[in-house]
Each structure stands twice: as C-alpha cells, then as structure tokens.
Amino acid sequence: MDDEPLTEWAERRDAKIGRLRAVPVVPGNGPRASHLHPDAPRAIERWNGHTWELYGFAAGLAEAQAVLYPEAGKPAPSGPVPKPLGPGTGKHRKPRAPGPDSGSRTQT
C-alpha cells in the first residue's frame, strides 16, 4: 500500500489554514448557492485547520466578494497582452487549411 507520508499530508492541510469562504444566511435547508440569493447577508468563515469558524459578516454578495478577493479590485497591469495559445497543433485545435504548396504530391 502506497500511503502518503504524514509530513506531506500535514503540509498540505496546513496550507489551507486561513482560507475564507462566504456562506449565505438564508432560512431553512434551502439552496445556499450565491447566485440564488445575491442580496442575502453572508457569514464569512475562516478555516482553522479543523473546522470553519466565524470570521465576520457581509451585507451581500458584492461585499463578501470584496472581502474574499481583495486583489480583484486592483487595476490590471498595463502592457502587451500575451497570446493565450502559441503556434502548433493540439488535440482540440482546428487543422490548418491546405495552402497552395501543401497539395498532394505524386511520385513518378
């Protein structure tokens, strides 16, 4: 049996400490998805390594996202935009259209 060493597991677990999440405060056991109740207040929870503990409150989805993703409010750096895909052929890319020089050649 190939078990992961305990030190690697502990490092992976400890890397998640301090992670935040926003949970909508809605009555009952109904849907808790953020897009269903964007104006509902949110409880901001923090992972302490063992359980989620209360960290704060937000008035709605927009305020909760500002707490969870503070870097999203910063302006993007200006400069040249890199090409998302480089040249080449990949599994999901369209094949190149045949050009005038790439016709079939017959040997005689």
Side-chain angles (χ1 to χ4, degrees), residues 2 4 31 37 40 56 71 82 84 106:
D2 290 335
E4 176 182 22
H37 302 286
E71 64 277 352
T106 57

Side-chain angles (χ1 to χ4, degrees), residues 49-94:
H50 302 285
T51 186
W52 291 98
E53 58 186 15
L54 186 61
Y55 182 74
F57 287 100
L61 178 61
E63 187 178 324
Q65 288 177 338
V67 172
L68 297 176
Y69 311 108
E71 64 277 352
K74 296 178 184 174
S78 60
V81 178
K83 295 173 96 177
L85 296 175
T89 58
K91 182 176 181 181
H92 299 289
R93 295 187 186 187
K94 292 182 179 179

Side-chain angles (χ1 to χ4, degrees), residues 20-24 32 34 42-45 52 58 60-61 64-65 68:
L20 299 176
R21 73 175 182 181
V23 179
R32 295 167 55 117
S34 63
R42 303 292 200 267
I44 308 295
E45 298 177 337
W52 291 98
L61 178 61
Q65 288 177 338
L68 297 176

